[in-house]
Structure formats: C-alpha cells, structure tokens
C-alpha cells in the first residue's frame, strides 16, 4: 500500500529557531499533500494544501510567512516553521492520497516542542 | 462546504462487547467517500474502513462494519468483540469524489475506552 514517511518524529528546540519537517511519499507520486496541526485530544486542523510545482494553498488564519511550504518534487513536501515560539508547539502531520483513490495516507507525525 | 459531526466525544465499551460510534455529515454532492480513521496513543492515523457513496452495501472489515444511510447522511461505525487494542480516538472523514486533490473533512473525534 501507499506509504508516507514524515521526518523528524520529534523536535525540541529553542525559541527563535526555524524547524523543517519533511513529508515523503515513498511508493507513489503525490502532486498534492496536506499539512495538519493537531492539539491534544482534538481533531486534525488543516493548515495548508501543498501543490507540486506551485504555491501552497493556506487555510484561513494560517500565517503563510510563519509556516513555509515547499513541494519541489512529486514525492517531497516540506513544512518550515520559521522563528518558532512556544505557541507553535504542537503535533504536525502530513498526508497524501493517490489520484482517484479515497483515503489519506498519513505520515507518523512530528511532535514539535519549542522551549 | 461539507461538515462532519461526531456527537459523542467519549464512549466506553466492555471488552468483547459491541459499540457503535456515530457520525453525520452534510453535503450537496452525490458522489463522495466516507472513512473512519483510528488514532491510538501513538498518534499514528490508521484507516479503519471506507465507504463509497455510490455503493449501497455497507462496508465491513473483520470486526468493523458501518451503517451507511445516504439519505439520512449518517455513517456509523460498529466495532464487534471489542479488544483492548481498539482503544483510540476515532475520526469520521468525508472526501469529495469530484476532485483528485484528496482534501478530507474530519469530525471532532470520539475517544473510545475499552474496559477489561
């Protein structure tokens, strides 16, 4: 089945640091990937849709300059949290789906902690 | 815009018993997919079961089955012979079949506790 790999799984860093999270589709090409943020015991909140070769589409209220998304190839999307602050601490998860197939295939998520 | 509602924030079930998780959705589309995902404490998202809207037959996957009522826009999940490993947060999700983008709408989730 389709596999999505997300790296790193855990990041702890100081306030002001920029953090890059990678999302790779290992055995399929993903022209579109999705980035979510999840707070404890809450649902997935869609942050943005990552489009290969073009600009990402951000959901309302998500700061484009804070959360930079790059989708440079058909198998890799990256989310960079710029100048991270403690309020950016959260669980971030990516997903992709095969064209004309239903379900999302999720990465294992990244737990980001900003001190 | 589509919405997905899970009205049960928490549910509990005795091991080996059966439990049903509720989900309703709102859409004006006729062709779409519905899913149930499981998120255990590891926080990995796992697909439990899927249903295509054009199929009248309810999907089943071993101990998991759905009751899909298209007219009522209802999509409940039944877990039979519950096991300790079923304890998790369960999300109902909707995806339009009209685009290839794959964007899904998720419900708020139901936390399932399984009592030994």
């Amino acid at each position: 089945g389709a596999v999505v790999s997300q790296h790193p799984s855990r990041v702890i860093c100081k306030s002001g640091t920029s953090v890059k999270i990678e999302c790779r589709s290992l055995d399929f090409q993903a022209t579109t990937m999705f980035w979510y943020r999840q707070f404890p015991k809450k649902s997935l909140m869609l942050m943005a849709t990552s489009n290969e070769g073009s600009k990402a589409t951000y959901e309302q209220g998500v700061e484009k300059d804070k959360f930079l998304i790059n989708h440079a190839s058909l198998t890799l999307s990256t989310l960079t949290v710029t100048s991270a602050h403690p309020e950016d601490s959260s669980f971030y998860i990516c997903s992709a789906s095969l064209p004309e197939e239903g379900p999302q295939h999720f990465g294992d998520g990244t737990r980001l902690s900003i001190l | 815009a589509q919405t997905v509602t899970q009205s049960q924030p928490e549910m509990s079930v005795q091991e080996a018993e059966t439990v049903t998780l509720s989900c309703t959705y709102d859409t004006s589309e006729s062709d779409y997919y519905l899913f149930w995902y499981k998120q255990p404490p590891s926080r990995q998202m796992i697909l439990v079961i899927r249903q295509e809207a054009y199929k009248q037959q309810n999907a089943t996957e071993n101990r998991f089955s759905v009751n899909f009522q298209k007219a009522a826009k209802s999509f409940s999940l039944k877990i039979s012979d519950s096991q300790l490993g079923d304890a998790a947060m369960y999300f109902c999700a909707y995806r339009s079949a009209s685009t290839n983008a794959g964007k899904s709408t998720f419900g708020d989730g139901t936390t399932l506790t399984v009592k030994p």
Side-chain angles (χ1 to χ4, degrees):
Chain A
V3 177
V4 173
S5 174
Q6 186 172 341
H7 177 81
S9 59
R10 184 86 161 96
V11 180
I12 303 172
C13 58
K14 295 181 178 180
S15 184
T17 305
S18 291
V19 178
K20 180 184 284 189
I21 303 170
E22 293 187 346
C23 182
R24 292 181 185 273
S25 56
L26 296 186
D27 50 0
F28 67 102
Q29 293 181 334
T31 56
T32 303
M33 292 185 176
F34 301 95
W35 287 97
Y36 303 88
R37 182 173 181 175
Q38 186 182 29
F39 293 102
K41 297 189 178 182
K42 298 294 184 182
S43 187
L44 281 71
M45 181 183 72
L46 181 65
M47 299 174 64
T49 302
S50 174
N51 303 298
E52 188 268 335
S54 64
K55 292 182 179 180
T57 305
Y58 289 83
E59 296 299 304
Q60 191 172 9
V62 177
E63 298 177 60
K64 300 178 182 181
D65 295 333
K66 161 67 79 174
F67 299 101
L68 298 179
I69 290 173
N70 183 275
H71 195 152
S73 77
L74 287 171
T75 59
L76 174 64
S77 175
T78 60
L79 168 67
T80 300
V81 184
T82 61
S83 187
H85 292 284
E87 57 266 29
D88 299 322
S89 298
S90 193
F91 187 71
Y92 295 87
I93 190 166
C94 69
S95 75
S97 64
L98 290 164
E100 300 180 358
E101 193 199 55
Q104 297 292 325
H105 301 280
F106 291 89
D108 287 343
T110 298
R111 191 181 305 273
L112 176 63
S113 299
I114 308 298
L115 305 177
Chain B
Q2 293 82 20
T3 59
V4 176
T5 302
Q6 293 178 248
S7 59
Q8 306 154 317
E10 297 180 345
M11 290 285 284
S12 67
V13 63
Q14 206 72 34
E15 194 176 6
E17 297 295 312
T18 296
V19 65
T20 299
L21 308 184
S22 300
C23 173
T24 58
Y25 58 95
D26 189 23
T27 184
S28 59
E29 298 178 325
S30 60
D31 195 14
Y32 49 87
Y33 303 97
L34 295 166
F35 309 95
W36 280 97
Y37 292 93
K38 168 185 176 181
Q39 188 179 42
S42 66
R43 303 191 81 169
Q44 181 185 16
M45 291 287 285
I46 302 166
L47 176 67
V48 175
I49 200 165
R50 60 181 285 176
Q51 175 82 42
E52 288 86 350
Y54 68 85
K55 291 185 178 179
Q56 291 188 336
Q57 187 172 11
N58 289 325
T60 63
E61 283 289 341
N62 301 314
R63 298 183 294 107
F64 299 87
S65 62
V66 298
N67 184 2
F68 174 47
Q69 301 290 328
K70 190 172 184 179
K73 297 179 183 174
S74 172
F75 183 62
S76 61
L77 174 70
K78 185 171 82 171
I79 306 174
S80 304
D81 185 25
S82 297
Q83 300 176 359
L84 296 177
D86 295 333
M89 197 161 186
Y90 287 81
F91 293 99
C92 178
Y94 170 102
R95 177 195 162 177
S96 170
S98 63
T99 69
N100 289 331
K103 182 177 178 179
S104 297
T105 301
F106 293 86
D108 287 340
T110 297
T111 298
L112 178 66
T113 302
V114 181
K115 299 177 180 178

